Amino acid sequence: MNGRLMKSASMALDAATLAGNAPRRVGTLVSHDGQMLEAEGFALPLGSGARVVSPSGETVHGEVVGFRGMRSLIVPFEHGTALSVGSRVEPDGDASYVACGSALLGRVIDAHGAPLDGRRPITSRFAWPIGGRRSNPLDRARVTRPMDLGVRSINALLTAGEGQRIAIIAGSGVGKSVLMGQMLAGTDCDVIVVGLIGERSREVSDFVETKLTGAARERSVVVAVPADHPPLLRLRAAMRATAIAEFFRAEGKKVFLLLDSLTRVAHAQREIGLALGEPPTMKGYPPSALGLIPRLVERAGADRRTGGSITACYTVLADGGDTEDPVVDAARAIVDGHIVLSRAISEQGVFPAIDVSRSLSRVMTDIVDADHALAAARFRRLWSAYDENRDLVLMGAYAPGNDAVVDEAIARRDMMLDFLRQAPNHHVDYASSRTALLQGFGA
């Protein structure tokens, strides 16, 4: 009898499958220092999701961002929950992949991929690493084809190409949002991915309702995290938007990525870095904050293997017009071109208020013909000549006839300003922009 029982027990154990019921690592909360939680007995790798359960049963979700000795450092996704020492810390799934696919088109999501537009939940069988996939530099294709952005001054004077990375550098109140709306409405692409990072909640809804309309809305994905959310969510939103753009590029699509703003992404990393104990450098930025910029920007570009491309625009805030800010300088050094918006030009009622002499497209000479390049160079020469002598002209100290280039610049100043002006709802394609430049400033 005992033998039969033992045999039955042995068969039951043999039939049991423990593969799907492996033990989980469960830790204990031992410290809460500012924005950082410390857990013991929770030896999971960086980027792992964590769930902290308070004594009252409330749950706080977070991510492992570092280690201190044998303790794991966790940044929570939300604040305000009453946690106490001894709270249970559990694994919370794999946070290193994001859902991608056509189901995202026309949707507005948060940093976790959850819908914000009040529509049905998003389901997709495709996933992409949130940190991207490392690729061979030789797989990146050269930028050889112009891309229509719908703005006459950019198409003609700062011609963008498919796969180019562009920084839009501007202070507050100089028309940055209007310019972004013009580019979104006029761009020639298959998919639009927009990352709204650290914006005011009102601006998020305003952007979605006024800047993404009609056909552009149906081929767009918006990832939005307002300014009052924790820094880790702001950072993950930028990474998620970039990962979604990478997925569509891998499918051979022509993608336009707009990230607003790169400065607030760096601010989020600064908060996390300082909380981890990194030493602050220029203007309080730790090394990880400035190191994040090239890692994020380098993920955009054209793919030689699939034929897809990510043309990316990153807005960079120049507080008080300071174009030597560390974030501005780091972004300008890694992108393929930058557009500087001038407060002085915007105060003259000229929008988009592009400062032509301080803006540059590093790929323009590779994607435009000789006549176009010569006309753009002539426009820039006249613009710079007027800027250099502006004070003398306004004071009446410049005597006409002293310099032929300055004389022409003064005579054609209004014509140049009119060339820059463009109504917010007006779209000017690349061919029309080129023709207008050649007619006005060609040889």
Side-chain angles (χ1 to χ4, degrees):
M1 182 71 176
N2 290 337
R4 287 198 298 270
L5 288 174
M6 291 178 63
K7 185 176 180 180
S8 299
S10 176
M11 293 175 61
L13 287 173
D14 290 340
T17 56
L18 300 177
N21 299 287
R24 295 187 303 167
R25 292 185 180 273
V26 178
T28 303
L29 183 66
V30 295
S31 175
H32 184 188
D33 182 11
Q35 298 180 2
M36 201 71 61
L37 304 176
E38 295 187 23
E40 284 185 343
F42 195 72
L44 268 68
L46 287 174
S48 300
R51 180 171 62 247
V52 184
V53 183
S54 70
S56 62
E58 294 182 86
T59 302
V60 175
H61 298 270
E63 180 181 319
V64 177
V65 297
F67 307 102
R68 184 171 295 155
M70 298 300 293
R71 296 179 177 181
S72 296
L73 303 179
I74 301 170
V75 172
F77 292 145
E78 58 270 345
H79 300 297
T81 303
L83 298 175
S84 62
V85 172
S87 295
R88 184 183 178 91
V89 183
E90 304 172 350
D92 192 29
D94 189 357
S96 59
Y97 283 84
V98 303
C100 297
S102 59
L104 292 174
L105 297 178
R107 304 300 302 271
V108 183
I109 60 177
D110 64 11
H112 299 300
L116 295 174
D117 49 17
R119 297 162 58 187
R120 67 184 185 280
I122 300 171
T123 57
S124 176
R125 60 188 179 91
F126 301 107
W128 192 268
I130 193 168
R133 292 177 179 169
R134 189 174 296 277
S135 61
N136 188 331
L138 296 182
D139 289 337
R140 286 296 173 86
R142 294 179 59 237
V143 180
T144 57
R145 295 192 300 267
M147 184 168 182
D148 183 9
L149 294 181
V151 181
R152 179 173 53 240
S153 52
I154 296 177
N155 283 340
L157 304 173
L158 304 165
T159 310
E162 292 181 20
Q164 184 177 1
R165 291 82 53 87
I166 306 167
I168 302 176
I169 303 171
S172 57
V174 294
K176 172 172 57 67
S177 297
V178 175
L179 177 60
M180 290 190 299
Q182 286 180 300
M183 295 169 71
L184 289 175
T187 186
D188 176 23
C189 65
D190 300 319
V191 177
I192 298 172
V193 181
V194 181
L196 300 177
I197 316 300
E199 294 288 342
R200 292 182 288 270
S201 298
R202 177 193 60 80
E203 290 184 339
V204 172
S205 59
D206 179 75
F207 188 94
V208 172
E209 293 175 10
T210 63
K211 304 298 189 299
L212 283 175
T213 57
R217 178 68 181 272
E218 297 305 315
R219 54 191 170 101
S220 67
V221 184
V222 179
V223 184
V225 174
D228 60 342
H229 284 52
L232 185 58
L233 289 185
R234 284 177 265 148
L235 182 59
R236 289 185 65 85
M239 305 288 279
R240 179 177 288 271
T242 306
I244 293 171
E246 287 178 312
F247 171 83
F248 285 112
R249 178 182 62 187
E251 289 193 328
K253 299 282 186 16
K254 185 163 65 171
V255 183
F256 182 64
L257 170 65
L258 177 60
L259 197 63
D260 181 25
S261 71
L262 193 62
T263 302
R264 293 194 177 102
V265 175
H267 287 176
Q269 182 60 43
R270 178 172 63 181
E271 292 182 46
I272 296 172
L274 293 177
L276 285 170
E278 287 189 62
T281 56
M282 289 188 298
K283 291 197 173 181
Y285 288 101
S288 64
L290 300 180
L292 171 68
I293 294 173
R295 292 204 310 272
L296 194 62
V297 173
E298 274 296 291
R299 293 170 62 180
D303 191 330
R304 192 186 304 274
R305 297 168 303 168
T306 65
S309 64
I310 300 175
T311 305
C313 282
Y314 304 93
T315 65
V316 185
L317 301 177
D319 296 329
D322 181 12
T323 57
E324 302 305 319
D325 179 86
V327 175
V328 175
D329 199 46
R332 189 168 45 199
I334 195 66
V335 295
D336 305 314
H338 55 274
I339 300 171
V340 178
L341 302 186
S342 166
R343 188 174 302 279
I345 296 175
S346 69
E347 289 172 349
Q348 299 176 46
V350 178
F351 294 98
I354 297 175
D355 189 335
V356 176
S357 61
R358 299 168 65 193
S359 303
L360 177 70
S361 173
R362 296 179 182 174
V363 303
M364 183 173 177
T365 55
D366 296 328
I367 58 179
V368 301
D369 57 77
D371 291 339
H372 186 169
L374 287 173
R378 185 183 181 195
F379 187 106
R380 296 175 70 91
R381 183 171 66 253
L382 295 176
W383 185 278
S384 297
Y386 183 88
D387 275 358
E388 291 171 2
N389 295 274
R390 183 173 182 273
D391 292 340
L392 293 176
V393 173
L394 294 178
M395 290 187 299
Y398 175 77
N402 286 342
D403 189 311
V405 175
V406 177
D407 290 342
E408 184 181 2
I410 295 172
R412 309 190 72 175
R413 179 65 175 179
D414 289 340
M415 182 179 179
M416 289 189 287
L417 292 176
D418 287 339
F419 188 85
L420 293 186
R421 285 190 180 95
Q422 184 172 327
N425 57 353
H426 188 205
H427 168 250
V428 182
D429 61 30
Y430 174 75
S432 300
S433 303
R434 178 184 178 277
T435 300
L437 179 67
L438 292 177
Q439 289 177 348
F441 301 91

PDB file of all heavy atoms in Angstrom, residues 376-406:
ATOM      1  N   ALA A 376      21.034  80.438 -52.874  1.00  0.00           N
ATOM      2  CA  ALA A 376      20.969  80.438 -51.416  1.00  0.00           C
ATOM      3  C   ALA A 376      22.187  81.141 -50.820  1.00  0.00           C
ATOM      4  O   ALA A 376      22.064  81.880 -49.832  1.00  0.00           O
ATOM      5  CB  ALA A 376      20.876  78.998 -50.902  1.00  0.00           C
ATOM      6  N   ALA A 377      23.372  80.908 -51.391  1.00  0.00           N
ATOM      7  CA  ALA A 377      24.580  81.574 -50.898  1.00  0.00           C
ATOM      8  C   ALA A 377      24.488  83.084 -51.077  1.00  0.00           C
ATOM      9  O   ALA A 377      24.937  83.851 -50.210  1.00  0.00           O
ATOM     10  CB  ALA A 377      25.801  81.032 -51.629  1.00  0.00           C
ATOM     11  N   ARG A 378      23.897  83.516 -52.167  1.00  0.00           N
ATOM     12  CA  ARG A 378      23.741  84.966 -52.387  1.00  0.00           C
ATOM     13  C   ARG A 378      22.784  85.568 -51.355  1.00  0.00           C
ATOM     14  O   ARG A 378      23.037  86.651 -50.816  1.00  0.00           O
ATOM     15  CB  ARG A 378      23.214  85.220 -53.798  1.00  0.00           C
ATOM     16  CG  ARG A 378      23.139  86.705 -54.148  1.00  0.00           C
ATOM     17  CD  ARG A 378      22.558  86.936 -55.520  1.00  0.00           C
ATOM     18  NE  ARG A 378      22.525  88.357 -55.843  1.00  0.00           N
ATOM     19  CZ  ARG A 378      21.828  88.884 -56.837  1.00  0.00           C
ATOM     20  NH1 ARG A 378      21.119  88.079 -57.638  1.00  0.00           N
ATOM     21  NH2 ARG A 378      21.845  90.184 -57.059  1.00  0.00           N
ATOM     22  N   PHE A 379      21.687  84.878 -51.092  1.00  0.00           N
ATOM     23  CA  PHE A 379      20.733  85.354 -50.076  1.00  0.00           C
ATOM     24  C   PHE A 379      21.434  85.476 -48.724  1.00  0.00           C
ATOM     25  O   PHE A 379      21.298  86.505 -48.039  1.00  0.00           O
ATOM     26  CB  PHE A 379      19.558  84.373 -49.987  1.00  0.00           C
ATOM     27  CG  PHE A 379      18.427  84.838 -49.108  1.00  0.00           C
ATOM     28  CD1 PHE A 379      17.233  85.293 -49.668  1.00  0.00           C
ATOM     29  CD2 PHE A 379      18.542  84.837 -47.717  1.00  0.00           C
ATOM     30  CE1 PHE A 379      16.179  85.707 -48.858  1.00  0.00           C
ATOM     31  CE2 PHE A 379      17.514  85.261 -46.899  1.00  0.00           C
ATOM     32  CZ  PHE A 379      16.322  85.694 -47.481  1.00  0.00           C
ATOM     33  N   ARG A 380      22.195  84.466 -48.340  1.00  0.00           N
ATOM     34  CA  ARG A 380      22.880  84.481 -47.054  1.00  0.00           C
ATOM     35  C   ARG A 380      23.921  85.591 -46.996  1.00  0.00           C
ATOM     36  O   ARG A 380      24.100  86.225 -45.946  1.00  0.00           O
ATOM     37  CB  ARG A 380      23.542  83.125 -46.802  1.00  0.00           C
ATOM     38  CG  ARG A 380      22.570  81.967 -46.675  1.00  0.00           C
ATOM     39  CD  ARG A 380      23.308  80.644 -46.545  1.00  0.00           C
ATOM     40  NE  ARG A 380      23.971  80.564 -45.257  1.00  0.00           N
ATOM     41  CZ  ARG A 380      23.424  80.046 -44.167  1.00  0.00           C
ATOM     42  NH1 ARG A 380      22.193  79.578 -44.209  1.00  0.00           N
ATOM     43  NH2 ARG A 380      24.095  79.997 -43.028  1.00  0.00           N
ATOM     44  N   ARG A 381      24.614  85.844 -48.100  1.00  0.00           N
ATOM     45  CA  ARG A 381      25.619  86.902 -48.118  1.00  0.00           C
ATOM     46  C   ARG A 381      24.979  88.275 -47.904  1.00  0.00           C
ATOM     47  O   ARG A 381      25.480  89.104 -47.134  1.00  0.00           O
ATOM     48  CB  ARG A 381      26.384  86.865 -49.435  1.00  0.00           C
ATOM     49  CG  ARG A 381      27.513  87.886 -49.511  1.00  0.00           C
ATOM     50  CD  ARG A 381      28.391  87.687 -50.725  1.00  0.00           C
ATOM     51  NE  ARG A 381      27.659  87.952 -51.968  1.00  0.00           N
ATOM     52  CZ  ARG A 381      27.262  87.025 -52.829  1.00  0.00           C
ATOM     53  NH1 ARG A 381      27.517  85.742 -52.574  1.00  0.00           N
ATOM     54  NH2 ARG A 381      26.610  87.346 -53.928  1.00  0.00           N
ATOM     55  N   LEU A 382      23.849  88.506 -48.585  1.00  0.00           N
ATOM     56  CA  LEU A 382      23.152  89.788 -48.415  1.00  0.00           C
ATOM     57  C   LEU A 382      22.594  89.919 -46.995  1.00  0.00           C
ATOM     58  O   LEU A 382      22.647  91.001 -46.394  1.00  0.00           O
ATOM     59  CB  LEU A 382      22.020  89.901 -49.443  1.00  0.00           C
ATOM     60  CG  LEU A 382      22.440  89.973 -50.922  1.00  0.00           C
ATOM     61  CD1 LEU A 382      21.217  89.975 -51.829  1.00  0.00           C
ATOM     62  CD2 LEU A 382      23.295  91.205 -51.182  1.00  0.00           C
ATOM     63  N   TRP A 383      22.051  88.821 -46.471  1.00  0.00           N
ATOM     64  CA  TRP A 383      21.500  88.855 -45.106  1.00  0.00           C
ATOM     65  C   TRP A 383      22.595  89.181 -44.094  1.00  0.00           C
ATOM     66  O   TRP A 383      22.415  90.027 -43.209  1.00  0.00           O
ATOM     67  CB  TRP A 383      20.859  87.509 -44.797  1.00  0.00           C
ATOM     68  CG  TRP A 383      20.144  87.451 -43.473  1.00  0.00           C
ATOM     69  CD1 TRP A 383      20.705  87.239 -42.251  1.00  0.00           C
ATOM     70  CD2 TRP A 383      18.740  87.637 -43.244  1.00  0.00           C
ATOM     71  NE1 TRP A 383      19.746  87.262 -41.266  1.00  0.00           N
ATOM     72  CE2 TRP A 383      18.534  87.508 -41.842  1.00  0.00           C
ATOM     73  CE3 TRP A 383      17.656  87.883 -44.064  1.00  0.00           C
ATOM     74  CZ2 TRP A 383      17.275  87.618 -41.275  1.00  0.00           C
ATOM     75  CZ3 TRP A 383      16.395  87.993 -43.496  1.00  0.00           C
ATOM     76  CH2 TRP A 383      16.212  87.861 -42.114  1.00  0.00           C
ATOM     77  N   SER A 384      23.743  88.531 -44.218  1.00  0.00           N
ATOM     78  CA  SER A 384      24.846  88.755 -43.283  1.00  0.00           C
ATOM     79  C   SER A 384      25.415  90.155 -43.426  1.00  0.00           C
ATOM     80  O   SER A 384      25.781  90.792 -42.427  1.00  0.00           O
ATOM     81  CB  SER A 384      25.954  87.715 -43.524  1.00  0.00           C
ATOM     82  OG  SER A 384      25.482  86.415 -43.270  1.00  0.00           O
ATOM     83  N   ALA A 385      25.493  90.658 -44.657  1.00  0.00           N
ATOM     84  CA  ALA A 385      26.023  92.014 -44.873  1.00  0.00           C
ATOM     85  C   ALA A 385      25.149  93.049 -44.182  1.00  0.00           C
ATOM     86  O   ALA A 385      25.664  94.003 -43.569  1.00  0.00           O
ATOM     87  CB  ALA A 385      26.115  92.309 -46.369  1.00  0.00           C
ATOM     88  N   TYR A 386      23.834  92.881 -44.248  1.00  0.00           N
ATOM     89  CA  TYR A 386      22.949  93.826 -43.572  1.00  0.00           C
ATOM     90  C   TYR A 386      23.092  93.717 -42.057  1.00  0.00           C
ATOM     91  O   TYR A 386      23.155  94.737 -41.346  1.00  0.00           O
ATOM     92  CB  TYR A 386      21.492  93.580 -43.977  1.00  0.00           C
ATOM     93  CG  TYR A 386      20.532  94.593 -43.365  1.00  0.00           C
ATOM     94  CD1 TYR A 386      20.253  95.789 -44.014  1.00  0.00           C
ATOM     95  CD2 TYR A 386      19.939  94.364 -42.130  1.00  0.00           C
ATOM     96  CE1 TYR A 386      19.396  96.725 -43.444  1.00  0.00           C
ATOM     97  CE2 TYR A 386      19.082  95.284 -41.556  1.00  0.00           C
ATOM     98  CZ  TYR A 386      18.820  96.462 -42.219  1.00  0.00           C
ATOM     99  OH  TYR A 386      17.976  97.390 -41.643  1.00  0.00           O
ATOM    100  N   ASP A 387      23.137  92.481 -41.529  1.00  0.00           N
ATOM    101  CA  ASP A 387      23.269  92.284 -40.080  1.00  0.00           C
ATOM    102  C   ASP A 387      24.543  92.917 -39.538  1.00  0.00           C
ATOM    103  O   ASP A 387      24.548  93.521 -38.458  1.00  0.00           O
ATOM    104  CB  ASP A 387      23.252  90.793 -39.756  1.00  0.00           C
ATOM    105  CG  ASP A 387      21.836  90.259 -39.615  1.00  0.00           C
ATOM    106  OD1 ASP A 387      20.884  91.054 -39.735  1.00  0.00           O
ATOM    107  OD2 ASP A 387      21.677  89.040 -39.412  1.00  0.00           O
ATOM    108  N   GLU A 388      25.649  92.782 -40.284  1.00  0.00           N
ATOM    109  CA  GLU A 388      26.925  93.315 -39.814  1.00  0.00           C
ATOM    110  C   GLU A 388      26.947  94.839 -39.788  1.00  0.00           C
ATOM    111  O   GLU A 388      27.688  95.439 -39.001  1.00  0.00           O
ATOM    112  CB  GLU A 388      28.056  92.804 -40.706  1.00  0.00           C
ATOM    113  CG  GLU A 388      28.310  91.308 -40.558  1.00  0.00           C
ATOM    114  CD  GLU A 388      29.270  90.783 -41.606  1.00  0.00           C
ATOM    115  OE1 GLU A 388      29.759  91.606 -42.425  1.00  0.00           O
ATOM    116  OE2 GLU A 388      29.535  89.565 -41.617  1.00  0.00           O
ATOM    117  N   ASN A 389      26.142  95.459 -40.628  1.00  0.00           N
ATOM    118  CA  ASN A 389      26.145  96.927 -40.725  1.00  0.00           C
ATOM    119  C   ASN A 389      24.833  97.541 -40.255  1.00  0.00           C
ATOM    120  O   ASN A 389      24.577  98.724 -40.506  1.00  0.00           O
ATOM    121  CB  ASN A 389      26.408  97.345 -42.175  1.00  0.00           C
ATOM    122  CG  ASN A 389      27.778  96.942 -42.662  1.00  0.00           C
ATOM    123  OD1 ASN A 389      28.772  97.650 -42.470  1.00  0.00           O
ATOM    124  ND2 ASN A 389      27.858  95.771 -43.300  1.00  0.00           N
ATOM    125  N   ARG A 390      24.003  96.751 -39.578  1.00  0.00           N
ATOM    126  CA  ARG A 390      22.668  97.198 -39.188  1.00  0.00           C
ATOM    127  C   ARG A 390      22.724  98.444 -38.303  1.00  0.00           C
ATOM    128  O   ARG A 390      21.966  99.409 -38.527  1.00  0.00           O
ATOM    129  CB  ARG A 390      21.943  96.075 -38.459  1.00  0.00           C
ATOM    130  CG  ARG A 390      20.510  96.397 -38.065  1.00  0.00           C
ATOM    131  CD  ARG A 390      19.829  95.160 -37.499  1.00  0.00           C
ATOM    132  NE  ARG A 390      18.448  95.431 -37.172  1.00  0.00           N
ATOM    133  CZ  ARG A 390      18.023  95.918 -36.013  1.00  0.00           C
ATOM    134  NH1 ARG A 390      18.918  96.168 -35.049  1.00  0.00           N
ATOM    135  NH2 ARG A 390      16.743  96.152 -35.783  1.00  0.00           N
ATOM    136  N   ASP A 391      23.602  98.459 -37.319  1.00  0.00           N
ATOM    137  CA  ASP A 391      23.675  99.609 -36.418  1.00  0.00           C
ATOM    138  C   ASP A 391      24.070 100.872 -37.162  1.00  0.00           C
ATOM    139  O   ASP A 391      23.515 101.961 -36.909  1.00  0.00           O
ATOM    140  CB  ASP A 391      24.674  99.326 -35.294  1.00  0.00           C
ATOM    141  CG  ASP A 391      24.177  98.234 -34.353  1.00  0.00           C
ATOM    142  OD1 ASP A 391      22.957  97.983 -34.344  1.00  0.00           O
ATOM    143  OD2 ASP A 391      25.008  97.627 -33.656  1.00  0.00           O
ATOM    144  N   LEU A 392      25.022 100.754 -38.086  1.00  0.00           N
ATOM    145  CA  LEU A 392      25.439 101.931 -38.863  1.00  0.00           C
ATOM    146  C   LEU A 392      24.300 102.442 -39.731  1.00  0.00           C
ATOM    147  O   LEU A 392      24.083 103.652 -39.849  1.00  0.00           O
ATOM    148  CB  LEU A 392      26.640 101.573 -39.745  1.00  0.00           C
ATOM    149  CG  LEU A 392      27.950 101.249 -39.024  1.00  0.00           C
ATOM    150  CD1 LEU A 392      29.018 100.825 -40.035  1.00  0.00           C
ATOM    151  CD2 LEU A 392      28.437 102.446 -38.220  1.00  0.00           C
ATOM    152  N   VAL A 393      23.562 101.519 -40.317  1.00  0.00           N
ATOM    153  CA  VAL A 393      22.449 101.916 -41.180  1.00  0.00           C
ATOM    154  C   VAL A 393      21.367 102.618 -40.375  1.00  0.00           C
ATOM    155  O   VAL A 393      20.839 103.669 -40.773  1.00  0.00           O
ATOM    156  CB  VAL A 393      21.874 100.679 -41.908  1.00  0.00           C
ATOM    157  CG1 VAL A 393      20.609 101.056 -42.683  1.00  0.00           C
ATOM    158  CG2 VAL A 393      22.907 100.093 -42.856  1.00  0.00           C
ATOM    159  N   LEU A 394      21.009 102.071 -39.215  1.00  0.00           N
ATOM    160  CA  LEU A 394      19.950 102.663 -38.397  1.00  0.00           C
ATOM    161  C   LEU A 394      20.343 104.027 -37.842  1.00  0.00           C
ATOM    162  O   LEU A 394      19.499 104.907 -37.648  1.00  0.00           O
ATOM    163  CB  LEU A 394      19.582 101.707 -37.259  1.00  0.00           C
ATOM    164  CG  LEU A 394      18.937 100.375 -37.676  1.00  0.00           C
ATOM    165  CD1 LEU A 394      18.657  99.505 -36.459  1.00  0.00           C
ATOM    166  CD2 LEU A 394      17.656 100.613 -38.462  1.00  0.00           C
ATOM    167  N   MET A 395      21.632 104.225 -37.571  1.00  0.00           N
ATOM    168  CA  MET A 395      22.098 105.521 -37.061  1.00  0.00           C
ATOM    169  C   MET A 395      22.324 106.539 -38.172  1.00  0.00           C
ATOM    170  O   MET A 395      22.583 107.707 -37.898  1.00  0.00           O
ATOM    171  CB  MET A 395      23.398 105.334 -36.276  1.00  0.00           C
ATOM    172  CG  MET A 395      23.234 104.605 -34.958  1.00  0.00           C
ATOM    173  SD  MET A 395      24.766 104.597 -33.986  1.00  0.00           S
ATOM    174  CE  MET A 395      25.883 103.727 -35.088  1.00  0.00           C
ATOM    175  N   GLY A 396      22.253 106.077 -39.422  1.00  0.00           N
ATOM    176  CA  GLY A 396      22.511 106.983 -40.540  1.00  0.00           C
ATOM    177  C   GLY A 396      23.983 107.234 -40.774  1.00  0.00           C
ATOM    178  O   GLY A 396      24.349 108.189 -41.473  1.00  0.00           O
ATOM    179  N   ALA A 397      24.827 106.381 -40.195  1.00  0.00           N
ATOM    180  CA  ALA A 397      26.272 106.589 -40.328  1.00  0.00           C
ATOM    181  C   ALA A 397      26.852 105.909 -41.555  1.00  0.00           C
ATOM    182  O   ALA A 397      28.027 106.121 -41.879  1.00  0.00           O
ATOM    183  CB  ALA A 397      26.990 106.073 -39.072  1.00  0.00           C
ATOM    184  N   TYR A 398      26.044 105.092 -42.226  1.00  0.00           N
ATOM    185  CA  TYR A 398      26.558 104.432 -43.429  1.00  0.00           C
ATOM    186  C   TYR A 398      26.278 105.308 -44.645  1.00  0.00           C
ATOM    187  O   TYR A 398      25.139 105.737 -44.865  1.00  0.00           O
ATOM    188  CB  TYR A 398      25.925 103.057 -43.611  1.00  0.00           C
ATOM    189  CG  TYR A 398      26.326 102.396 -44.907  1.00  0.00           C
ATOM    190  CD1 TYR A 398      27.583 101.817 -45.043  1.00  0.00           C
ATOM    191  CD2 TYR A 398      25.469 102.393 -46.004  1.00  0.00           C
ATOM    192  CE1 TYR A 398      27.976 101.239 -46.235  1.00  0.00           C
ATOM    193  CE2 TYR A 398      25.845 101.821 -47.196  1.00  0.00           C
ATOM    194  CZ  TYR A 398      27.109 101.244 -47.314  1.00  0.00           C
ATOM    195  OH  TYR A 398      27.493 100.682 -48.508  1.00  0.00           O
ATOM    196  N   ALA A 399      27.311 105.557 -45.449  1.00  0.00           N
ATOM    197  CA  ALA A 399      27.175 106.363 -46.657  1.00  0.00           C
ATOM    198  C   ALA A 399      26.996 105.439 -47.853  1.00  0.00           C
ATOM    199  O   ALA A 399      27.882 104.621 -48.141  1.00  0.00           O
ATOM    200  CB  ALA A 399      28.411 107.242 -46.855  1.00  0.00           C
ATOM    201  N   PRO A 400      25.867 105.529 -48.554  1.00  0.00           N
ATOM    202  CA  PRO A 400      25.660 104.675 -49.733  1.00  0.00           C
ATOM    203  C   PRO A 400      26.789 104.841 -50.744  1.00  0.00           C
ATOM    204  O   PRO A 400      27.309 105.940 -50.948  1.00  0.00           O
ATOM    205  CB  PRO A 400      24.329 105.181 -50.299  1.00  0.00           C
ATOM    206  CG  PRO A 400      23.634 105.807 -49.121  1.00  0.00           C
ATOM    207  CD  PRO A 400      24.717 106.407 -48.292  1.00  0.00           C
ATOM    208  N   GLY A 401      27.170 103.736 -51.362  1.00  0.00           N
ATOM    209  CA  GLY A 401      28.235 103.755 -52.351  1.00  0.00           C
ATOM    210  C   GLY A 401      29.552 103.239 -51.821  1.00  0.00           C
ATOM    211  O   GLY A 401      30.472 102.978 -52.605  1.00  0.00           O
ATOM    212  N   ASN A 402      29.680 103.092 -50.509  1.00  0.00           N
ATOM    213  CA  ASN A 402      30.937 102.600 -49.942  1.00  0.00           C
ATOM    214  C   ASN A 402      31.148 101.109 -50.201  1.00  0.00           C
ATOM    215  O   ASN A 402      32.289 100.652 -50.310  1.00  0.00           O
ATOM    216  CB  ASN A 402      30.986 102.853 -48.431  1.00  0.00           C
ATOM    217  CG  ASN A 402      31.234 104.312 -48.105  1.00  0.00           C
ATOM    218  OD1 ASN A 402      31.692 105.068 -48.968  1.00  0.00           O
ATOM    219  ND2 ASN A 402      30.930 104.715 -46.892  1.00  0.00           N
ATOM    220  N   ASP A 403      30.053 100.349 -50.244  1.00  0.00           N
ATOM    221  CA  ASP A 403      30.160  98.899 -50.441  1.00  0.00           C
ATOM    222  C   ASP A 403      28.958  98.438 -51.251  1.00  0.00           C
ATOM    223  O   ASP A 403      27.819  98.601 -50.828  1.00  0.00           O
ATOM    224  CB  ASP A 403      30.205  98.186 -49.091  1.00  0.00           C
ATOM    225  CG  ASP A 403      30.534  96.705 -49.215  1.00  0.00           C
ATOM    226  OD1 ASP A 403      29.903  96.024 -50.041  1.00  0.00           O
ATOM    227  OD2 ASP A 403      31.422  96.227 -48.474  1.00  0.00           O
ATOM    228  N   ALA A 404      29.219  97.849 -52.417  1.00  0.00           N
ATOM    229  CA  ALA A 404      28.136  97.457 -53.316  1.00  0.00           C
ATOM    230  C   ALA A 404      27.260  96.371 -52.707  1.00  0.00           C
ATOM    231  O   ALA A 404      26.037  96.363 -52.891  1.00  0.00           O
ATOM    232  CB  ALA A 404      28.722  96.975 -54.643  1.00  0.00           C
ATOM    233  N   VAL A 405      27.881  95.437 -51.966  1.00  0.00           N
ATOM    234  CA  VAL A 405      27.110  94.347 -51.359  1.00  0.00           C
ATOM    235  C   VAL A 405      26.184  94.892 -50.280  1.00  0.00           C
ATOM    236  O   VAL A 405      25.011  94.510 -50.196  1.00  0.00           O
ATOM    237  CB  VAL A 405      28.051  93.275 -50.780  1.00  0.00           C
ATOM    238  CG1 VAL A 405      27.244  92.200 -50.048  1.00  0.00           C
ATOM    239  CG2 VAL A 405      28.893  92.640 -51.878  1.00  0.00           C
ATOM    240  N   VAL A 406      26.690  95.837 -49.459  1.00  0.00           N
ATOM    241  CA  VAL A 406      25.860  96.428 -48.412  1.00  0.00           C
ATOM    242  C   VAL A 406      24.737  97.250 -49.033  1.00  0.00           C
ATOM    243  O   VAL A 406      23.592  97.217 -48.557  1.00  0.00           O
ATOM    244  CB  VAL A 406      26.711  97.291 -47.466  1.00  0.00           C
ATOM    245  CG1 VAL A 406      25.823  97.960 -46.413  1.00  0.00           C
ATOM    246  CG2 VAL A 406      27.772  96.443 -46.775  1.00  0.00           C
TER     247      VAL A 406
END
